[in-house]
Amino acid sequence: MAETTMRLFVAVEVPAHVRDAVDAATEPLRRRQPAARWVAPNAYHLTLQFVGWVDDAGARSVEGACAEAAGSVGPFALRLTGGAGMFGNGVLWAALEDSRGLHAVAAALREAMVAGGLSVEERPFHAHLTLARAGRTTRLPRDLAGAYDGPPSGWEVERLVLLRSRLRRTGAEYSPRGAWLLQG
C-alpha cells in the first residue's frame, strides 16, 4: 500500500569530519548511559523547522518554502562550541556558537512557510545538535551535559535539506527528499 502522508523536517547537514569527532566525544557517555537512545552519527543534523505529517501537496509547499529561504540567505560558517546542554532530563545536545547565518536561514524558512500557509512551530528556534534522548523507562542524568567534552568543530553550511523521517523500533531513519543551495 502506498503511503499517503510523510513526516518531514528541514535541516542543516553535519559533515563527516564533525560527525566523526562528535561520535568519538560521545563514546564515553554512551558507555555510561547505555539505556539512552543515542543518535547514530550518520543521523546527526540541525533541525531548522519540524514540519510533521503532510501529504504530497503539503510536501511540495514545504519544498517551495525551502527554495525561497535558500534563495534569500548565502552560505555561512557554523561551529560547535564543544559544550553541551539538556532539555529537561530527556534530551542531550551539543551546543553551537551563535550564528547570524543560521538564525537568518531559520527565520527566512519560517517566513516562507507562513507565507505559504504552512504551520510552523510556536517555540523559538534553538540551534542544537541532538546527541541522545532518554530511554523509554529512564531519564538522562543532569550531569551528563557537563561530562560531554566535545570538539569545537566548524564547517561551512552551503545548503538546506528536506528530510523524511521514518520512525522505526531502532530509531528514526532519515532520507533526503530535496536539497537547496544557499544563494542569497
Side-chain angles (χ1 to χ4, degrees):
M1 175 193 266
E3 296 180 64
T4 57
T5 61
M6 60 198 90
R7 188 172 184 255
L8 301 175
F9 62 96
V10 183
V12 167
E13 298 166 301
V14 177
H17 76 279
V18 176
R19 291 191 313 253
D20 291 346
V22 171
D23 183 48
T26 59
E27 199 278 331
L29 303 180
R30 290 192 306 267
R31 280 188 276 123
R32 180 177 156 192
Q33 291 296 318
R37 295 179 297 143
W38 292 93
V39 176
N42 65 352
Y44 288 149
H45 63 271
L46 304 173
T47 300
L48 293 173
Q49 184 69 51
F50 180 74
V51 176
W53 291 96
V54 295
D55 60 14
D56 277 335
R60 285 191 296 277
S61 294
V62 175
E63 291 169 349
C66 289
E68 187 174 328
S72 67
V73 177
F76 57 89
L78 197 56
R79 187 169 178 80
L80 295 172
T81 66
M86 302 274 295
F87 293 134
N89 288 93
V91 177
L92 172 68
W93 46 265
L96 294 147
E97 290 181 356
D98 195 27
S99 166
R100 209 173 347 170
L102 185 62
H103 286 281
V105 76
L109 178 63
R110 180 182 178 87
E111 189 174 302
M113 288 181 67
V114 169
L118 295 161
S119 297
V120 295
E121 294 179 301
E122 294 295 322
R123 62 184 171 188
F125 175 66
H126 181 270
H128 67 279
L129 175 67
T130 299
L131 301 174
R133 294 179 177 84
R136 291 184 188 269
T137 59
T138 60
R139 308 291 289 162
L140 298 177
R142 295 292 301 167
D143 67 342
L144 198 59
Y148 176 76
D149 186 20
S153 303
W155 72 97
E156 186 82 5
V157 176
E158 298 177 343
R159 67 184 200 163
L160 303 179
V161 292
L162 178 60
L163 295 173
R164 181 176 182 170
S165 172
R166 290 185 172 93
L167 303 176
R168 308 281 190 217
R169 285 182 182 211
T170 56
E173 293 177 3
Y174 308 127
S175 58
R177 181 174 164 98
W180 295 264
L181 292 175
L182 299 176
Q183 301 175 348

